[in-house]
Structures are given as C-alpha cells and as structure tokens.
Amino acid sequence: MAYVARSEAPLCSEQFGSGTARGCRAAADGSLQWENWGRRWWGFSGAFTAKPGGRDGGERVAPGTASPPLSRLLAVFLPQGFPDSVSPDYLPYQLWDSVQAFASSLSGSLATHAVLLGIGVGNAKASVSAATATWLVKDSTGMLGRIIFAWWMGSKMDCNAKQWRLFADILNDVAMFLEIMAPIFPICFTMTICISNLAKCIVGVAGGATRAALTMHQARRNNMADVSAKDGSQETLVSLAGLLVSLLMLPLVSDCPSLSLGCFFFLTALHIYANYRAVRALVIETLNEGRLWLVLKHFLQRGEVLGPASANQMEPLWTGFWPSLSLSLGVPLHRVTSSVFELQKLVEGHQEPYLLRWDPSQTIKDVQNKPTSGSCSEVVFWKLLGRSTGEQHEMKLERKGPGTGCPEPDGRP
C-alpha cells in the first residue's frame, strides 16, 4: 500500500512557455504516465501513458500536439510564446488595431471606387492618356512628399509613437474623404487626388515608423521579427475580410452617393474610435518629453511618482499639447559660450562632467560634455513649471555606475 501511495504522488512536472505545467506519475508497469499538454486559456487536461523507448518514455509528443485546433490556429497569428513573449498591452492593442484596420479597408474601397470613377473608368469619352497623366502626377506628388516628410519629422516619431500613429490614421481618413469628394468637382479632380495621395504618402511614412517603434516596445524576448511578422499576418487576414465585405457592399452603395457617403462617415467614426482605444491601451515604460513633463509636474505638486500606466493614461495623444523644450546634447563649445568672460563664469567652481546653458528667452538648453573617466552618469532635467507663479524647478538625477563608487540613485526637486 505504501508503494501505491508513492506511485500516486507526482514524480515531477514540466512547463513550456505560457502553457500549463503537466505532471508525471509512475504507472503500475513502471512506465511514466504524463498528463496531456494543455493551454491555460482552455483548461484542457488529461493523461496519457508513455512507454519506455522515447524521450518521454515513448513516442515523441510535441507540446502543441494535444492542444485544441483553435489554439493551433491562434499560433499562426500570435508570436511564439504568447503572452509571455510580448508586452502586457499587446492583446488589447492588437484587437483594437484589427478593428480600425477593418474599418479602414472598407473606407479605402469606397475611396478607390470614387477615384476610378473620376478618372474615367466606365466612361467611353474618357482619354487613356489623360488618365495616365493624372495618375503619374498623383504618384509623383506623393513620392516627393514622402521624402520631404521623412526628412522633416523622421527623428521625432520614436519618442512620440502613439501621437504620430493617431495622427497618421486621422490623416488617412482625411485623404480618403478627399478622394470620395474628388469626382463631385471634376475641375479640381487632379489637384484633389494629388493632395490626397500626398497625405497618404505621409501616412505611410508615419505609420511605418511608428509601427517599428511599437514593435520594439511589444517584443520582450528579442523577437521583433516574429512580432512584426505576426502583425503582418493579422493585418493581411483583416484586409482579406475587408475585401470580401467590400465585394458585397460596393454594389449596394455605388449607385447612391448619399448612402456611400453615409457609410464612409460611419466607418470613419469607427476607425478613429478604434485607433483612440488602441493607442490608449499602450503602456510604454520609457519616458518621452510629454510623459517626463507629467511625471515631474506630479512629483513637484504632490510628492508622488507616477507609474507607467497612470502616466500613459494622462499623456495627451495629439502632438504639441505640452510645453516644448529644445534640448541639444554634445554641442560644440562655441554654442555654449562666445566670450572668455562667459567661459570663465561657466567653469568657475564647476565640478560636473558637463557644461550647461539655459536660455529662457528661446527655451533652449545646450549641454557640452567634458571628458571624464569613471564618473557618474548624471543628467540634469530643467522643466519650467508653475508658470503662473514664475517658479523654475530643477531636478538632478544621479545613477550609480559600475565600479565608480557613485552614490545610490537620488532625486531632489
């Protein structure tokens, strides 16, 4: 009886990724009896006996073999190791992102129908050469706009990925609205679709750049390629569903411009709402200028440090909604000072590994690094807060460096 009691106790257990752990017991014939593989989402469990001879004591069984079919289908569209291999906000963001992509696909089909109608598809009097010239001018305008916008705003999209993501999707709705309205005003048709394509090219730059930044945030196991590939698979599936629905929708609304416009406004409202919910679901742990301003302001006013979730919820989702601070790091010395007197005043009694100049008139901060060896990594943040009282606050953050004997992290207003 003692042997039977011992045989009923689990010998060991194992767990792969986010799957539930399975136990192993000793069978009466001396073989290992394993529970079936299951996923924690389905609560599926069972048992099977593995006879000696394989890695598990029998035939090799892959972890996903006994999973339900739906679990295997989800593995096609979700990163390997989900949900442990991605950020906690991955699932809510992707769900709302799929909704906005579906709405955008339907709106795009209405806009494409309007553009083809304006170019002359189906009109016997339309000129092929004129339609070709219009299309070439439209594409050329968009290409130039793509280059100029990438040069102008490319460096600002990493830190404000959520804002530029929302901006890109709203601009895409504006572009599709112009395409739908273009056939109504034939005289301005070419100019309208050129402006629309210019906006769409800007959307392509902003959307692609912010998608890369968000993929870096979501990937938690150096799996950016997998996260990006599965995001492409999800987008392809949603686009395919939108294409099938568009085939049913277009014959119903193509002969009624008012109905087509009403459907477009409904889909646009759904698209903007889904985009708002998607970017609000993101909880980015790093500090950009907007989140840093909120954290510092909250700390100086209440003496509390905002957590990532609270700071992201309070962050404005439109670029330019917070005070702008121009920061230049590692600038040449001639930008910090232009005279011997100013230089002597800056370095007099100065022991920090940098020189800092604050220009309140232009809201510019220049930092000139000084060569040091084994010094602490120090950053000085200047924020102009409490403008009504005219108070200026300074926060100095010190971070302990390896082998430098620097103090522990400390912050003081």
Side-chain angles (χ1 to χ4, degrees):
M1 292 298 293
Y3 174 78
V4 174
R6 287 196 302 268
S7 66
E8 292 298 328
L11 298 177
C12 62
S13 63
E14 63 179 351
Q15 180 179 8
F16 284 83
S18 59
T20 54
R22 69 167 183 170
C24 173
R25 292 178 172 83
D29 57 356
S31 61
L32 298 179
Q33 186 178 23
W34 290 90
E35 293 180 351
N36 280 343
W37 293 101
R39 299 289 180 181
R40 65 185 180 195
W41 307 300
W42 317 114
F44 177 81
S45 62
F48 71 92
T49 301
K51 296 182 180 179
R55 197 176 86 179
D56 287 335
E59 295 183 0
R60 183 184 179 191
V61 180
T65 302
S67 300
L70 182 58
S71 178
R72 292 195 292 269
L73 178 63
L74 290 177
V76 177
F77 298 100
L78 295 175
Q80 186 177 9
F82 172 86
D84 300 323
S85 61
V86 293
S87 59
D89 56 15
Y90 177 85
L91 187 59
Y93 174 80
Q94 292 300 127
L95 289 175
W96 285 110
D97 187 61
S98 299
V99 173
Q100 69 86 18
F102 180 75
S104 180
S105 177
L106 297 181
S107 300
S109 64
L110 294 174
T112 302
H113 177 268
V115 171
L116 294 177
L117 182 64
I119 288 178
V121 175
N123 186 358
K125 297 181 180 180
S127 171
V128 177
S129 58
T132 303
T134 302
W135 202 270
L136 292 177
V137 171
K138 175 180 74 74
D139 289 346
S140 302
T141 304
M143 292 175 186
L144 293 176
R146 181 188 297 267
I147 296 174
I148 295 174
F149 183 76
W151 162 76
W152 183 31
M153 290 292 181
S155 61
K156 299 181 180 180
M157 297 182 191
D158 282 317
C159 55
N160 295 320
K162 294 194 294 184
Q163 288 78 10
W164 283 107
R165 178 76 177 181
L166 186 60
F167 166 81
D169 285 300
I170 293 177
L171 185 60
N172 188 51
D173 291 331
V174 174
M176 288 189 291
F177 176 73
L178 291 176
E179 289 180 343
I180 289 180
M181 298 301 294
I184 301 178
F185 305 100
I187 299 178
C188 304
F189 178 80
T190 301
M191 182 180 67
T192 304
I193 64 171
C194 285
I195 296 175
S196 172
N197 197 61
L198 174 63
K200 283 192 170 184
C201 287
I202 293 175
V203 169
V205 174
T210 55
R211 180 65 255 178
L214 295 180
T215 300
M216 184 181 302
H217 158 70
Q218 292 174 336
R220 296 303 170 94
R221 290 185 178 175
N222 295 323
N223 57 340
M224 283 185 58
D226 187 28
V227 173
S228 179
K230 295 304 171 57
D231 178 72
S233 298
Q234 296 170 22
E235 187 174 352
T236 302
L237 179 64
V238 172
S239 298
L240 179 61
L243 177 63
L244 297 177
V245 176
S246 297
L247 292 176
L248 301 176
M249 179 184 67
L250 286 177
L252 301 176
V253 302
S254 58
D255 296 332
C256 182
S258 60
L259 181 59
S260 177
L261 199 60
C263 290
F264 173 79
F265 284 135
F266 170 75
L267 293 171
T268 299
L270 177 61
H271 180 244
I272 294 176
Y273 175 75
N275 268 291
Y276 175 80
R277 292 296 301 271
V279 295
R280 270 299 179 212
L282 290 170
V283 180
I284 300 179
E285 294 90 349
T286 56
L287 290 175
N288 61 0
E289 183 179 339
R291 290 188 289 273
L292 176 61
W293 187 83
L294 290 170
V295 170
L296 290 176
K297 182 178 180 180
H298 189 83
F299 178 78
L300 293 172
Q301 291 179 347
R302 303 186 182 182
E304 301 174 354
V305 179
L306 282 176
S310 301
N312 278 267
Q313 287 297 317
M314 296 170 61
E315 181 185 9
L317 294 180
W318 195 255
T319 56
F321 273 25
W322 50 78
S324 178
L325 180 68
S326 178
L327 174 66
S328 300
L329 298 175
V331 299
L333 185 59
H334 71 267
R335 285 188 53 183
V336 180
T337 179
S338 59
S339 67
V340 177
F341 175 76
E342 291 180 357
L343 179 60
Q344 292 176 347
K345 187 176 179 181
L346 282 173
V347 300
E348 182 179 358
H350 191 75
Q351 302 297 328
E352 306 294 347
Y354 53 80
L355 296 177
L356 183 142
R357 181 178 70 91
W358 168 260
D359 189 352
S361 62
Q362 300 181 9
T363 321
I364 295 176
K365 179 177 66 174
D366 295 331
V367 179
Q368 165 69 35
N369 294 330
K370 297 197 304 182
T372 57
S373 176
S375 61
C376 297
S377 174
E378 298 182 339
V379 180
V380 175
F381 296 103
W382 288 76
K383 300 302 294 184
L384 191 61
L385 302 174
R387 299 191 173 191
S388 59
T389 60
E391 296 179 355
Q392 180 173 298
H393 302 275
E394 175 186 356
M395 177 172 283
K396 181 177 179 180
L397 304 178
E398 297 180 348
R399 184 177 58 199
K400 185 174 182 180
T404 61
C406 297
E408 292 295 330
D410 176 43
R412 60 179 182 273

